[in-house]
Amino acid sequence: MASFCDLGLSSYEERVYTALLELRTGTAEEIADQSDVPMGRIYDVLNSLESREVVRRNPNSRPREYSPVDPELVVSRLLEQRKQELDVKQAQLESTAADLLSQIGQKAPIDGKFWIANEDERSLFDGLVNRANRVTDEWMMTWTASAGGLFGLEDPNDEIWPYFGDVLEKETQFKLLMTTQLINILPNDFVEEMADAIDDYPNFEVRITDGVYNSLDIIDQTDLAVYVADPFDPQSILGITQINNPEYIKLVKSSFITHWNGAEQFKKTTGQGDA
């Protein structure tokens, strides 16, 4: 049940004001008897209510008498006072929160999930296939010699390019940024298949750089996956961090474009691996 305490009065103040509404007017002693507020506290309570314009004192009466202010006016005044108090409290809390963040240097966490890789890294390639099926406009990817390389596939040539061919048929813009280290250890037949795909699909581009240190892919600037290398086996994948924060993905895409613009165009003679 609502009470004047909800608007900031103490329990004694509420009892005194309610008693005065019944008495209409009364002395301190009469009000104390009606409200059951101790006589030793009654003057403090009445003075507080008078300062908040909840009761009025008749200066000409002897003994001194008090009367209640109209309830609608009291509720309006108490509500306004309560709002002001809460505004001050909110400002204090916001200032405290800002000070705490400044002290600990904490930033808001990025929205995302971490997927643990199975022992069979083939499952990661299957996961990549599922991700690629969601691409509608653009797919950006980095490949490195670490973080699983080509997803742990024993024969990537027979699986990756047939699948990517299906993806590229959708006319998705596909930019692949590879490290020099990886391109130099790829089998020659894989490199040849990649070169053929570049010739067959104008929407497919490959560039080579030394400035990429992890594997990732970005789908339509809405979905980012970072492939985390196993610290005890850099060529294996520990898991995948999937991030859906648009602002963070925008920053990563900007870095990708910077490295892309500074990378070398892939040439068929680049591959140095075994046939």
mmCIF file of all heavy atoms in Angstrom, residues 37-76:
data_model
loop_
_atom_site.group_PDB
_atom_site.id
_atom_site.type_symbol
_atom_site.label_atom_id
_atom_site.label_comp_id
_atom_site.label_asym_id
_atom_site.label_seq_id
_atom_site.Cartn_x
_atom_site.Cartn_y
_atom_site.Cartn_z
ATOM 1 N N VAL A 37 3.215 9.447 18.560
ATOM 2 C CA VAL A 37 4.614 9.861 18.478
ATOM 3 C C VAL A 37 5.019 10.373 19.855
ATOM 4 O O VAL A 37 4.290 11.177 20.457
ATOM 5 C CB VAL A 37 4.808 10.960 17.416
ATOM 6 C CG1 VAL A 37 6.227 11.528 17.477
ATOM 7 C CG2 VAL A 37 4.525 10.403 16.030
ATOM 8 N N PRO A 38 6.155 9.940 20.395
ATOM 9 C CA PRO A 38 6.563 10.370 21.737
ATOM 10 C C PRO A 38 6.622 11.888 21.863
ATOM 11 O O PRO A 38 7.052 12.580 20.934
ATOM 12 C CB PRO A 38 7.954 9.740 21.899
ATOM 13 C CG PRO A 38 7.956 8.576 20.961
ATOM 14 C CD PRO A 38 7.111 8.987 19.801
ATOM 15 N N MET A 39 6.215 12.392 23.006
ATOM 16 C CA MET A 39 6.209 13.837 23.228
ATOM 17 C C MET A 39 7.616 14.413 23.111
ATOM 18 O O MET A 39 7.791 15.556 22.665
ATOM 19 C CB MET A 39 5.631 14.138 24.624
ATOM 20 C CG MET A 39 5.278 15.590 24.841
ATOM 21 S SD MET A 39 3.953 16.129 23.735
ATOM 22 C CE MET A 39 4.102 17.915 23.917
ATOM 23 N N GLY A 40 8.614 13.613 23.453
ATOM 24 C CA GLY A 40 9.983 14.092 23.353
ATOM 25 C C GLY A 40 10.449 14.288 21.914
ATOM 26 O O GLY A 40 11.478 14.928 21.678
ATOM 27 N N ARG A 41 9.702 13.750 20.945
ATOM 28 C CA ARG A 41 10.078 13.878 19.530
ATOM 29 C C ARG A 41 9.130 14.769 18.739
ATOM 30 O O ARG A 41 9.429 15.148 17.614
ATOM 31 C CB ARG A 41 10.079 12.487 18.864
ATOM 32 C CG ARG A 41 11.163 11.550 19.353
ATOM 33 C CD ARG A 41 12.554 12.042 18.940
ATOM 34 N NE ARG A 41 12.611 12.481 17.563
ATOM 35 C CZ ARG A 41 12.725 11.651 16.514
ATOM 36 N NH1 ARG A 41 12.804 10.347 16.718
ATOM 37 N NH2 ARG A 41 12.771 12.133 15.291
ATOM 38 N N ILE A 42 7.988 15.109 19.327
ATOM 39 C CA ILE A 42 6.930 15.726 18.535
ATOM 40 C C ILE A 42 7.334 17.069 17.945
ATOM 41 O O ILE A 42 7.010 17.385 16.792
ATOM 42 C CB ILE A 42 5.632 15.871 19.374
ATOM 43 C CG1 ILE A 42 4.442 16.197 18.446
ATOM 44 C CG2 ILE A 42 5.803 16.900 20.466
ATOM 45 C CD1 ILE A 42 4.107 15.082 17.491
ATOM 46 N N TYR A 43 8.079 17.903 18.709
ATOM 47 C CA TYR A 43 8.439 19.226 18.183
ATOM 48 C C TYR A 43 9.447 19.114 17.026
ATOM 49 O O TYR A 43 9.375 19.882 16.058
ATOM 50 C CB TYR A 43 8.977 20.120 19.303
ATOM 51 C CG TYR A 43 7.887 20.648 20.202
ATOM 52 C CD1 TYR A 43 7.710 20.129 21.483
ATOM 53 C CD2 TYR A 43 7.030 21.653 19.762
ATOM 54 C CE1 TYR A 43 6.697 20.603 22.308
ATOM 55 C CE2 TYR A 43 6.013 22.137 20.585
ATOM 56 C CZ TYR A 43 5.844 21.606 21.853
ATOM 57 O OH TYR A 43 4.835 22.083 22.665
ATOM 58 N N ASP A 44 10.383 18.165 17.138
ATOM 59 C CA ASP A 44 11.334 17.972 16.030
ATOM 60 C C ASP A 44 10.600 17.562 14.753
ATOM 61 O O ASP A 44 10.899 18.057 13.655
ATOM 62 C CB ASP A 44 12.357 16.888 16.391
ATOM 63 C CG ASP A 44 13.340 17.348 17.444
ATOM 64 O OD1 ASP A 44 13.498 18.578 17.601
ATOM 65 O OD2 ASP A 44 13.949 16.480 18.102
ATOM 66 N N VAL A 45 9.614 16.669 14.915
ATOM 67 C CA VAL A 45 8.863 16.198 13.748
ATOM 68 C C VAL A 45 8.030 17.331 13.161
ATOM 69 O O VAL A 45 7.992 17.535 11.940
ATOM 70 C CB VAL A 45 7.968 15.005 14.136
ATOM 71 C CG1 VAL A 45 7.083 14.596 12.958
ATOM 72 C CG2 VAL A 45 8.813 13.826 14.601
ATOM 73 N N LEU A 46 7.363 18.102 14.019
ATOM 74 C CA LEU A 46 6.540 19.214 13.532
ATOM 75 C C LEU A 46 7.392 20.278 12.844
ATOM 76 O O LEU A 46 6.992 20.833 11.811
ATOM 77 C CB LEU A 46 5.757 19.826 14.691
ATOM 78 C CG LEU A 46 4.567 18.994 15.193
ATOM 79 C CD1 LEU A 46 4.046 19.552 16.511
ATOM 80 C CD2 LEU A 46 3.452 18.968 14.146
ATOM 81 N N ASN A 47 8.562 20.570 13.398
ATOM 82 C CA ASN A 47 9.449 21.559 12.768
ATOM 83 C C ASN A 47 9.910 21.086 11.386
ATOM 84 O O ASN A 47 10.012 21.878 10.442
ATOM 85 C CB ASN A 47 10.662 21.820 13.658
ATOM 86 C CG ASN A 47 10.300 22.615 14.901
ATOM 87 O OD1 ASN A 47 9.286 23.320 14.925
ATOM 88 N ND2 ASN A 47 11.121 22.506 15.942
ATOM 89 N N SER A 48 10.197 19.787 11.275
ATOM 90 C CA SER A 48 10.619 19.234 9.982
ATOM 91 C C SER A 48 9.490 19.333 8.959
ATOM 92 O O SER A 48 9.708 19.738 7.809
ATOM 93 C CB SER A 48 11.047 17.770 10.152
ATOM 94 O OG SER A 48 11.334 17.183 8.899
ATOM 95 N N LEU A 49 8.274 18.990 9.384
ATOM 96 C CA LEU A 49 7.131 19.061 8.468
ATOM 97 C C LEU A 49 6.830 20.505 8.078
ATOM 98 O O LEU A 49 6.441 20.781 6.932
ATOM 99 C CB LEU A 49 5.901 18.432 9.125
ATOM 100 C CG LEU A 49 5.951 16.913 9.300
ATOM 101 C CD1 LEU A 49 4.746 16.427 10.096
ATOM 102 C CD2 LEU A 49 6.001 16.216 7.944
ATOM 103 N N GLU A 50 7.022 21.419 9.012
ATOM 104 C CA GLU A 50 6.785 22.832 8.701
ATOM 105 C C GLU A 50 7.810 23.335 7.685
ATOM 106 O O GLU A 50 7.469 24.080 6.758
ATOM 107 C CB GLU A 50 6.855 23.658 9.983
ATOM 108 C CG GLU A 50 6.482 25.120 9.769
ATOM 109 C CD GLU A 50 6.542 25.936 11.048
ATOM 110 O OE1 GLU A 50 6.947 25.376 12.095
ATOM 111 O OE2 GLU A 50 6.199 27.139 10.998
ATOM 112 N N SER A 51 9.070 22.920 7.829
ATOM 113 C CA SER A 51 10.105 23.360 6.892
ATOM 114 C C SER A 51 9.867 22.798 5.490
ATOM 115 O O SER A 51 10.276 23.402 4.500
ATOM 116 C CB SER A 51 11.487 22.931 7.397
ATOM 117 O OG SER A 51 11.641 21.521 7.342
ATOM 118 N N ARG A 52 9.176 21.665 5.419
ATOM 119 C CA ARG A 52 8.885 21.058 4.115
ATOM 120 C C ARG A 52 7.509 21.476 3.601
ATOM 121 O O ARG A 52 7.041 20.955 2.599
ATOM 122 C CB ARG A 52 8.969 19.529 4.223
ATOM 123 C CG ARG A 52 10.329 19.040 4.679
ATOM 124 C CD ARG A 52 10.429 17.540 4.713
ATOM 125 N NE ARG A 52 10.400 16.966 3.376
ATOM 126 C CZ ARG A 52 10.596 15.668 3.116
ATOM 127 N NH1 ARG A 52 10.836 14.838 4.119
ATOM 128 N NH2 ARG A 52 10.548 15.227 1.884
ATOM 129 N N GLU A 53 6.875 22.413 4.302
ATOM 130 C CA GLU A 53 5.576 22.968 3.902
ATOM 131 C C GLU A 53 4.498 21.893 3.827
ATOM 132 O O GLU A 53 3.649 21.890 2.944
ATOM 133 C CB GLU A 53 5.687 23.691 2.559
ATOM 134 C CG GLU A 53 6.659 24.866 2.591
ATOM 135 C CD GLU A 53 6.727 25.603 1.266
ATOM 136 O OE1 GLU A 53 7.313 25.046 0.315
ATOM 137 O OE2 GLU A 53 6.181 26.714 1.196
ATOM 138 N N VAL A 54 4.540 20.994 4.823
ATOM 139 C CA VAL A 54 3.526 19.949 4.928
ATOM 140 C C VAL A 54 2.493 20.318 5.999
ATOM 141 O O VAL A 54 1.325 19.946 5.901
ATOM 142 C CB VAL A 54 4.185 18.587 5.249
ATOM 143 C CG1 VAL A 54 3.144 17.501 5.488
ATOM 144 C CG2 VAL A 54 5.126 18.187 4.111
ATOM 145 N N VAL A 55 2.928 21.060 7.015
ATOM 146 C CA VAL A 55 2.008 21.567 8.040
ATOM 147 C C VAL A 55 2.234 23.063 8.205
ATOM 148 O O VAL A 55 3.288 23.593 7.836
ATOM 149 C CB VAL A 55 2.204 20.853 9.403
ATOM 150 C CG1 VAL A 55 2.013 19.358 9.262
ATOM 151 C CG2 VAL A 55 3.564 21.183 10.000
ATOM 152 N N ARG A 56 1.215 23.741 8.778
ATOM 153 C CA ARG A 56 1.323 25.173 9.064
ATOM 154 C C ARG A 56 1.201 25.384 10.572
ATOM 155 O O ARG A 56 0.453 24.676 11.257
ATOM 156 C CB ARG A 56 0.208 25.956 8.375
ATOM 157 C CG ARG A 56 0.222 25.907 6.866
ATOM 158 C CD ARG A 56 -0.803 26.902 6.312
ATOM 159 N NE ARG A 56 -0.931 26.810 4.867
ATOM 160 C CZ ARG A 56 -1.818 26.048 4.242
ATOM 161 N NH1 ARG A 56 -2.664 25.311 4.961
ATOM 162 N NH2 ARG A 56 -1.878 26.020 2.931
ATOM 163 N N ARG A 57 1.915 26.373 11.058
ATOM 164 C CA ARG A 57 1.821 26.740 12.473
ATOM 165 C C ARG A 57 1.062 28.057 12.591
ATOM 166 O O ARG A 57 1.326 28.993 11.838
ATOM 167 C CB ARG A 57 3.221 26.881 13.078
ATOM 168 C CG ARG A 57 3.212 27.278 14.548
ATOM 169 C CD ARG A 57 4.616 27.359 15.094
ATOM 170 N NE ARG A 57 5.438 28.286 14.307
ATOM 171 C CZ ARG A 57 6.699 28.573 14.602
ATOM 172 N NH1 ARG A 57 7.296 27.978 15.628
ATOM 173 N NH2 ARG A 57 7.376 29.426 13.861
ATOM 174 N N ASN A 58 0.109 28.112 13.531
ATOM 175 C CA ASN A 58 -0.649 29.346 13.778
ATOM 176 C C ASN A 58 0.125 30.191 14.783
ATOM 177 O O ASN A 58 0.202 29.849 15.972
ATOM 178 C CB ASN A 58 -2.034 29.010 14.335
ATOM 179 C CG ASN A 58 -2.901 30.242 14.500
ATOM 180 O OD1 ASN A 58 -2.418 31.380 14.378
ATOM 181 N ND2 ASN A 58 -4.178 30.038 14.800
ATOM 182 N N PRO A 59 0.747 31.285 14.320
ATOM 183 C CA PRO A 59 1.616 32.065 15.223
ATOM 184 C C PRO A 59 0.853 32.808 16.315
ATOM 185 O O PRO A 59 1.446 33.251 17.306
ATOM 186 C CB PRO A 59 2.301 33.046 14.272
ATOM 187 C CG PRO A 59 1.341 33.211 13.140
ATOM 188 C CD PRO A 59 0.661 31.886 12.979
ATOM 189 N N ASN A 60 -0.463 32.952 16.166
ATOM 190 C CA ASN A 60 -1.235 33.747 17.128
ATOM 191 C C ASN A 60 -1.895 32.903 18.209
ATOM 192 O O ASN A 60 -2.523 33.447 19.123
ATOM 193 C CB ASN A 60 -2.309 34.558 16.394
ATOM 194 C CG ASN A 60 -1.697 35.531 15.393
ATOM 195 O OD1 ASN A 60 -0.669 36.151 15.685
ATOM 196 N ND2 ASN A 60 -2.324 35.668 14.236
ATOM 197 N N SER A 61 -1.798 31.590 18.074
ATOM 198 C CA SER A 61 -2.493 30.734 19.045
ATOM 199 C C SER A 61 -1.611 30.475 20.261
ATOM 200 O O SER A 61 -0.397 30.385 20.159
ATOM 201 C CB SER A 61 -2.880 29.406 18.387
ATOM 202 O OG SER A 61 -1.723 28.716 17.949
ATOM 203 N N ARG A 62 -2.269 30.370 21.430
ATOM 204 C CA ARG A 62 -1.591 30.022 22.670
ATOM 205 C C ARG A 62 -2.452 29.005 23.407
ATOM 206 O O ARG A 62 -3.589 29.340 23.776
ATOM 207 C CB ARG A 62 -1.368 31.250 23.556
ATOM 208 C CG ARG A 62 -0.401 32.266 23.001
ATOM 209 C CD ARG A 62 1.053 31.729 23.023
ATOM 210 N NE ARG A 62 1.996 32.758 22.589
ATOM 211 C CZ ARG A 62 2.302 33.011 21.337
ATOM 212 N NH1 ARG A 62 1.730 32.303 20.367
ATOM 213 N NH2 ARG A 62 3.170 33.958 21.039
ATOM 214 N N PRO A 63 -1.988 27.759 23.590
ATOM 215 C CA PRO A 63 -0.696 27.222 23.145
ATOM 216 C C PRO A 63 -0.644 27.094 21.622
ATOM 217 O O PRO A 63 -1.669 27.155 20.950
ATOM 218 C CB PRO A 63 -0.632 25.858 23.827
ATOM 219 C CG PRO A 63 -2.051 25.449 23.986
ATOM 220 C CD PRO A 63 -2.818 26.721 24.264
ATOM 221 N N ARG A 64 0.550 26.888 21.126
ATOM 222 C CA ARG A 64 0.781 26.857 19.686
ATOM 223 C C ARG A 64 -0.020 25.721 19.049
ATOM 224 O O ARG A 64 -0.046 24.597 19.547
ATOM 225 C CB ARG A 64 2.276 26.659 19.420
ATOM 226 C CG ARG A 64 2.682 26.721 17.970
ATOM 227 C CD ARG A 64 4.174 26.501 17.848
ATOM 228 N NE ARG A 64 4.926 27.468 18.646
ATOM 229 C CZ ARG A 64 6.219 27.371 18.906
ATOM 230 N NH1 ARG A 64 6.903 26.323 18.471
ATOM 231 N NH2 ARG A 64 6.832 28.293 19.625
ATOM 232 N N GLU A 65 -0.661 26.030 17.911
ATOM 233 C CA GLU A 65 -1.450 25.036 17.198
ATOM 234 C C GLU A 65 -0.927 24.859 15.773
ATOM 235 O O GLU A 65 -0.342 25.775 15.187
ATOM 236 C CB GLU A 65 -2.928 25.447 17.159
ATOM 237 C CG GLU A 65 -3.609 25.410 18.517
ATOM 238 C CD GLU A 65 -5.084 25.748 18.409
ATOM 239 O OE1 GLU A 65 -5.478 26.386 17.395
ATOM 240 O OE2 GLU A 65 -5.844 25.373 19.324
ATOM 241 N N TYR A 66 -1.185 23.647 15.245
ATOM 242 C CA TYR A 66 -0.730 23.294 13.893
ATOM 243 C C TYR A 66 -1.918 22.782 13.084
ATOM 244 O O TYR A 66 -2.872 22.220 13.635
ATOM 245 C CB TYR A 66 0.340 22.203 13.947
ATOM 246 C CG TYR A 66 1.592 22.604 14.687
ATOM 247 C CD1 TYR A 66 1.669 22.480 16.083
ATOM 248 C CD2 TYR A 66 2.692 23.103 14.007
ATOM 249 C CE1 TYR A 66 2.815 22.843 16.770
ATOM 250 C CE2 TYR A 66 3.847 23.467 14.692
ATOM 251 C CZ TYR A 66 3.903 23.328 16.066
ATOM 252 O OH TYR A 66 5.034 23.690 16.754
ATOM 253 N N SER A 67 -1.842 22.971 11.767
ATOM 254 C CA SER A 67 -2.880 22.456 10.867
ATOM 255 C C SER A 67 -2.207 21.871 9.627
ATOM 256 O O SER A 67 -1.098 22.280 9.260
ATOM 257 C CB SER A 67 -3.861 23.569 10.475
ATOM 258 O OG SER A 67 -3.167 24.631 9.836
ATOM 259 N N PRO A 68 -2.863 20.920 8.949
ATOM 260 C CA PRO A 68 -2.251 20.279 7.781
ATOM 261 C C PRO A 68 -2.436 21.104 6.508
ATOM 262 O O PRO A 68 -3.446 21.784 6.335
ATOM 263 C CB PRO A 68 -2.998 18.956 7.676
ATOM 264 C CG PRO A 68 -4.361 19.278 8.197
ATOM 265 C CD PRO A 68 -4.156 20.302 9.296
ATOM 266 N N VAL A 69 -1.452 21.045 5.623
ATOM 267 C CA VAL A 69 -1.583 21.627 4.285
ATOM 268 C C VAL A 69 -2.417 20.664 3.445
ATOM 269 O O VAL A 69 -2.423 19.448 3.674
ATOM 270 C CB VAL A 69 -0.188 21.853 3.659
ATOM 271 C CG1 VAL A 69 -0.300 22.319 2.212
ATOM 272 C CG2 VAL A 69 0.592 22.862 4.498
ATOM 273 N N ASP A 70 -3.136 21.190 2.466
ATOM 274 C CA ASP A 70 -3.993 20.373 1.603
ATOM 275 C C ASP A 70 -3.212 19.181 1.026
ATOM 276 O O ASP A 70 -2.101 19.351 0.509
ATOM 277 C CB ASP A 70 -4.532 21.237 0.459
ATOM 278 C CG ASP A 70 -5.423 20.439 -0.468
ATOM 279 O OD1 ASP A 70 -6.596 20.254 -0.122
ATOM 280 O OD2 ASP A 70 -4.927 19.993 -1.520
ATOM 281 N N PRO A 71 -3.768 17.960 1.116
ATOM 282 C CA PRO A 71 -3.043 16.754 0.673
ATOM 283 C C PRO A 71 -2.566 16.806 -0.778
ATOM 284 O O PRO A 71 -1.459 16.345 -1.082
ATOM 285 C CB PRO A 71 -4.069 15.637 0.880
ATOM 286 C CG PRO A 71 -4.945 16.139 1.977
ATOM 287 C CD PRO A 71 -5.050 17.621 1.764
ATOM 288 N N GLU A 72 -3.375 17.338 -1.686
ATOM 289 C CA GLU A 72 -2.943 17.397 -3.085
ATOM 290 C C GLU A 72 -1.695 18.257 -3.237
ATOM 291 O O GLU A 72 -0.773 17.917 -3.989
ATOM 292 C CB GLU A 72 -4.065 17.942 -3.964
ATOM 293 C CG GLU A 72 -5.224 16.972 -4.153
ATOM 294 C CD GLU A 72 -6.205 17.465 -5.205
ATOM 295 O OE1 GLU A 72 -5.868 18.460 -5.900
ATOM 296 O OE2 GLU A 72 -7.280 16.875 -5.328
ATOM 297 N N LEU A 73 -1.661 19.370 -2.514
ATOM 298 C CA LEU A 73 -0.503 20.250 -2.567
ATOM 299 C C LEU A 73 0.710 19.583 -1.920
ATOM 300 O O LEU A 73 1.840 19.691 -2.422
ATOM 301 C CB LEU A 73 -0.829 21.567 -1.865
ATOM 302 C CG LEU A 73 0.216 22.683 -1.977
ATOM 303 C CD1 LEU A 73 0.533 22.988 -3.435
ATOM 304 C CD2 LEU A 73 -0.267 23.936 -1.256
ATOM 305 N N VAL A 74 0.470 18.860 -0.830
ATOM 306 C CA VAL A 74 1.566 18.157 -0.150
ATOM 307 C C VAL A 74 2.169 17.093 -1.057
ATOM 308 O O VAL A 74 3.394 16.984 -1.193
ATOM 309 C CB VAL A 74 1.058 17.526 1.167
ATOM 310 C CG1 VAL A 74 2.090 16.538 1.721
ATOM 311 C CG2 VAL A 74 0.766 18.605 2.193
ATOM 312 N N VAL A 75 1.306 16.292 -1.686
ATOM 313 C CA VAL A 75 1.799 15.233 -2.577
ATOM 314 C C VAL A 75 2.610 15.835 -3.720
ATOM 315 O O VAL A 75 3.681 15.333 -4.089
ATOM 316 C CB VAL A 75 0.628 14.397 -3.124
ATOM 317 C CG1 VAL A 75 1.093 13.486 -4.258
ATOM 318 C CG2 VAL A 75 0.012 13.564 -2.005
ATOM 319 N N SER A 76 2.119 16.939 -4.286
ATOM 320 C CA SER A 76 2.832 17.588 -5.385
ATOM 321 C C SER A 76 4.202 18.083 -4.936
ATOM 322 O O SER A 76 5.208 17.899 -5.634
ATOM 323 C CB SER A 76 1.993 18.746 -5.919
ATOM 324 O OG SER A 76 2.685 19.444 -6.929
#
